[in-house]
Amino acid sequence: MVKHSPIFAALLLLLAGPGARAAEPAPPAPRAVDPRVEAALTAAKLAYIVDEGDFRLKYDVDGDRSQLVWVASGTAKLDQLEIRDVWSVASRGKGEPPAELAAHLLRENARMILGAWQINQNAEEYLVVFSAPVVATADAATLQEVIEVVMLSADRIEKELTGRDEF
């Protein structure tokens, strides 16, 4: 699935490194954070930083691997259901994603209970992202469980696809 989103733009800037913003106009004012997420992460005793209004967590997967996970402050509504995204990047590449990669991610999606693989793309590169929705009012235990599913899924595919620990 090709999806253009503000998440993709923010991730590209974050992942590009410290000099990536030099040629760009001043960033917009920081977005307000959702206090419900803040309260749930604090109750779960999960360390985080606020990254352009979203919550970024760094998990130690095992002795030599880690994984970054974001929890969106912004939400979407579907009738009475309010949800937010939890996501993590597994890989990135230049140009168009290879067809074999897209097919592999679709096969992976068939086995997932929660969340799905997506490819977020701009003109120069693409990101392979695992994303899962969670109800906006999730308690600490539920949010932590969704975060851990996203983290483990993204780290597994990152290791499989790249053999590295970039994200």
Side-chain angles (χ1 to χ4, degrees):
M1 173 192 325
V2 176
K3 182 177 178 186
H4 300 280
S5 71
I7 293 170
F8 180 72
L11 286 174
L12 280 180
L13 288 174
L14 173 73
L15 299 172
R21 296 177 189 250
E24 295 184 13
R31 293 186 335 212
V33 299
D34 188 328
R36 298 172 294 183
V37 178
E38 203 164 31
L41 293 174
T42 300
K45 297 184 170 100
L46 296 174
Y48 64 88
I49 64 168
V50 176
D51 180 7
E52 296 189 21
D54 296 323
F55 298 84
R56 184 175 73 193
L57 299 88
K58 182 176 182 182
Y59 265 82
D60 291 326
V61 181
D62 58 33
D64 61 343
R65 295 190 62 80
S66 63
Q67 191 69 32
L68 296 174
V69 178
W70 284 264
V71 178
S73 272
T75 63
K77 281 193 171 185
L78 180 62
D79 198 23
Q80 297 301 309
L81 178 62
E82 184 182 13
I83 59 171
R84 75 178 74 252
D85 284 329
V86 178
W87 74 92
S88 185
V89 178
S91 179
R92 70 174 156 193
K94 299 288 183 196
E96 291 286 323
E100 308 82 49
L101 173 61
H104 178 66
L105 295 175
L106 284 172
R107 286 189 298 274
E108 285 291 323
N109 278 346
R111 59 182 237 135
M112 304 311 295
I113 295 171
L114 174 69
W117 288 102
Q118 54 186 316
I119 295 176
N120 293 344
Q121 186 171 9
N122 70 13
E124 292 83 36
E125 71 178 346
Y126 63 88
L127 296 175
V128 175
V129 177
F130 190 77
S131 178
V134 64
V135 65
T137 57
D139 62 24
T142 301
L143 184 58
Q144 183 172 3
E145 189 164 351
V146 172
I147 289 169
E148 289 176 2
V149 164
V150 168
M151 177 267 303
L152 290 170
S153 298
D155 187 65
R156 178 179 61 82
I157 292 296
E158 178 185 21
K159 188 174 182 181
E160 176 188 316
L161 294 177
T162 71
R164 297 186 311 269
D165 186 30
E166 187 177 350
F167 305 103

